[in-house]
Amino acid sequence: TKILIICILALRFTVNAQWNPNGITVAGGNGGGSATNQLYHPGGISIAGSEDIYVVDANNNRVQKWSSPYVTGITVAGGNGAGSNANQLNCPLGLYVDGSLNIYVTDYNNNRVQKWSSPYVTGITVAGGNGAGPAANQLSAPAGGIWVDAGGNVYVSDYNNNRVQKWSPPYVTGVTVAGGNGQGSAANQLNNPLGIYVDASTNIYVADVNNDRIQKWSSPYVTGITVAGGNVVGSAANQLHTPEGVQVDAIGNIYISDATNNRIQMWSSPYVTGTTIAGTGSAGSTANQLSYPYGIILDAGRNLYV
């Protein structure tokens, strides 16, 4: 999966329910590099604290925290070169920051999820870390989707195994809560899942990348239902092309990073078509454009970060 985001954009949802078509850069945007004011292929993002922005800086094998006025970032996980030691990451992609500011990172090439707690010197493995494979204690290329609920349960998209795994303390093995029935497009299957979102009722929304759809899985997690896309690959309002990130707001609107279409789509009930709220459909770096958007998140004010 290609990750080609250059900067993070904040897009404000105004009081008259119209999305501002232009974004402002709040992290990076100074060319690809490893300086404190740069990012190199950013992936997942999270918002915590006083609107601090946490960004996975994939090619620099680190997570950066950017605070207002968003001029430079500081490293809060990794940054010690690519590797598998407790203080290292190797192509991190997904990110979740909880209310206690614990940082959970999908460590792609190490086939594990690492949890970093203050003072953020080393991480501990809370999923995988037993080599690439399909066993209950393994992951294979966790490529970005991660969510942590209030009980500390870790949900992770297990990309090559076409499943979503839930890991509960003490994090010895995971259980499958979406997919796991081989690669395919049936209602009980996934085809390379990426972004995930878990709501307060533990419904799991999965960006089913190669099926160009968003699947919603509810307990007992036997099959999913399509809530966006699934109408063959394309750029029409009822289509998606390589959806990679997904978020859901308090009233059930679904926000999707529609990567190859270079846009963010919002799907509202009854989830027949989507509306473009960011991007023009053409890749670019102007204030109203995106280039292969990946991670997305909403803050408390429904500002959208991409």
Side-chain angles (χ1 to χ4, degrees), residues 140-305:
S140 182
I146 184 169
W147 192 267
V148 183
D149 67 21
N153 300 299
V154 178
Y155 299 77
V156 56
S157 289
D158 194 8
Y159 187 81
N160 282 349
N161 287 321
N162 301 293
R163 65 187 183 182
V164 175
Q165 295 291 94
K166 176 183 175 182
W167 296 68
S168 301
Y171 307 114
V172 178
T173 58
V175 296
T176 301
V177 289
N181 298 297
Q183 187 177 53
S185 60
N188 70 338
Q189 294 180 304
L190 296 169
N191 189 345
N192 296 139
L194 271 180
I196 58 176
Y197 179 93
V198 182
D199 69 17
S201 300
T202 63
N203 299 303
I204 304 168
Y205 296 79
V206 186
D208 192 13
V209 175
N210 289 330
N211 284 322
D212 301 292
R213 66 186 184 183
I214 303 297
Q215 293 292 95
K216 177 183 176 181
W217 298 69
S218 301
S219 181
Y221 307 112
V222 178
T223 60
I225 61 170
T226 301
V227 290
N231 298 299
V232 187
V233 63
S235 60
N238 70 336
Q239 295 178 306
L240 298 170
H241 191 179
T242 325
E244 300 203 343
V246 59
Q247 291 281 294
V248 183
D249 68 19
I251 58 175
N253 297 310
I254 302 170
Y255 303 80
I256 305 158
S257 54
D258 192 13
T260 303
N261 284 324
N262 300 295
R263 65 186 184 181
I264 306 299
Q265 293 289 94
M266 182 177 76
W267 293 63
S268 301
S269 180
Y271 307 112
V272 178
T273 60
T275 301
T276 300
I277 59 171
T280 63
S282 298
S285 59
T286 61
N288 69 339
Q289 291 181 303
L290 299 168
S291 181
Y292 211 84
Y294 185 76
I296 57 172
I297 197 164
L298 293 162
D299 69 14
R302 292 181 76 192
N303 300 302
L304 180 66
Y305 296 76

